[in-house]
Amino acid sequence: MVMNIDLHTLSDQLEDHKPVKQFRQNDDWKKGGRLLSGLVGSNVLLFSGALATCVFTEDVDIYEFDFLIVLSIMMVICVVWMVFQMYFTWKHKNAILFKDCQAGPIWMRVGIILFGVGTLVMASLKIVYAAEHSGCVRPMHIIQPIIQVIFVVVQTCFLWISCKHCVQIYLNATRCFLMVLLSVNLTIWIVAVAEESSQQTLELQWYLQGNRSEDNSSNGEHGDENSCGCNSRCIGHSDVFAYLYPFNIEYNLFAAAMIYIMWKNVGRQIDENASHSHGIGPGVRQHIPLLGLVAGLAVLIVGLVMFVMYEVGRDTNHSHWLSLRTFYIFHVVSLVLMCLANIVGIIIFRLDKRNMCNEKNPSRTLDVALLLGATLGQYAISYYSIIAMVSTQPFSVLCGLTLGYSALMIIQHTIQNAFIVEGLHRLPPNVLFRPPSYSSSNPSGQLETKQDPTHDMERRESLTGGPNYSRRMTRRETLTAHIKSHLKKRKTMKDVYLFLFLSNLIFWIMPAFGARIRFDNGLEVTFYGFSIWAIITNICLPFGIFYRMHAAATLLELYSMS
């Protein structure tokens, strides 16, 4: 009898703990697979990064040749795997049983196509320039851009098709190849940032030394392309690349972010019918935010004009002084307006109370991590600039503008991060009504109120003129006033989102395409020295540029959700 009780008790305990044990085994195995793939990816990234460092620190051609061979081999491996993966998932339907509707929103897929086109143009120009100097360069300088073109085309198709997939078979192999693909994109991003930074640093050094005109006539990068001779580092460093580097940099960052989400979703089981808030919804077409559109376009157009004046005014000292001060004033005014817009958005968040979504979401987690991580670069360079300006004597007008610009940069980034992070975690309104939807039962997209349990009874009383008529009218008026108030808040939020989107866009365009106002004013260079300030700028500025693009993309997503 005791034995029977023990057996039954043991059986019940095993039955009760069976799901938990199964979940723990799967969870531990998933963590083990992620650890293995993470080690593979980190080793690939560190090895390729070390080899790329040799290219930019030592003037030895064999290092560049070896690096191009390694990079080409990795890109070929990734291309073969991506083609196999697309064919395999198309042929075997059981490979993709779940899809993450929040991964790969439409704005990111469109963005990767646009940046991919710029990357293809850049690679094509490299092929042309290398072919023109085929007599003095190795064939790898022609082969590698060709492989990169194939890599970009295949990867763009792969991400467009598979970005939402939650692969359920061959989990470890899929994770490892995704991490290798992620490492390749980060390696190309590091090389592109290093090439752009070195080119910008040389141009600024020539400019600050007052030898710009002499170098323009004697150096092949700014004069005759044929004066490069057989220097492979010089070939392909044309002025046109200054306008194509941003596309290549952003393409690899977009691709890396999408690949990371795919890596997180390997083996994940998701309810496809669950509500999601990513993508361009019907709210985009309901209200045209004229105030935000006009204000944002004004900042964008004025910023482009200021940027052109700044670039043109660099040729003469007097015009450069005026254009630099005007450029600083534009930045200060724009940052103040952006701070006010963020504060208005936060106030509306406080008035329009909603529940916060704390569910597991890899896309949102990555967005927040990238925003906060990229902010550190702008914080660092701003604090360095503030220290230099406070210590500079005598204190001039340009010192005051630089000091105000750096302080506003820190304030605006902080407020905007709080605004965006809270917006990403807010749930859609679901208190008195649900958002309008376009369906067969509601083709016009009119606002649909929730069904109340007493709705039918009140309707019958309204027909008979019951005693609760005044109470019913009061409730109806309250509901109508609440709906109008909510719609007004939504319209205001769309204005805020669109204005901030366009403002962050122009703040990405200007530094991405060559504006280096903290170098051109000469104040930080004088305080820290050219070498130290060049290191600080080349490390911190790419993070600031990435922050603006990522913030603009996130604000566009919030705008589509509002």
Side-chain angles (χ1 to χ4, degrees), residues 2 72 208 503 559:
V2 175
S72 299
L208 293 175
S503 299
Y559 169 79

Side-chain angles (χ1 to χ4, degrees), residues 8 64 121 216 280 287 302 353 417 422 497 520 545:
H8 284 298
E64 183 180 8
V121 173
N216 283 343
I280 304 299
H287 169 64
V302 173
K353 296 182 179 180
N417 282 341
E422 184 173 355
Y497 287 140
D520 288 345
I545 295 173

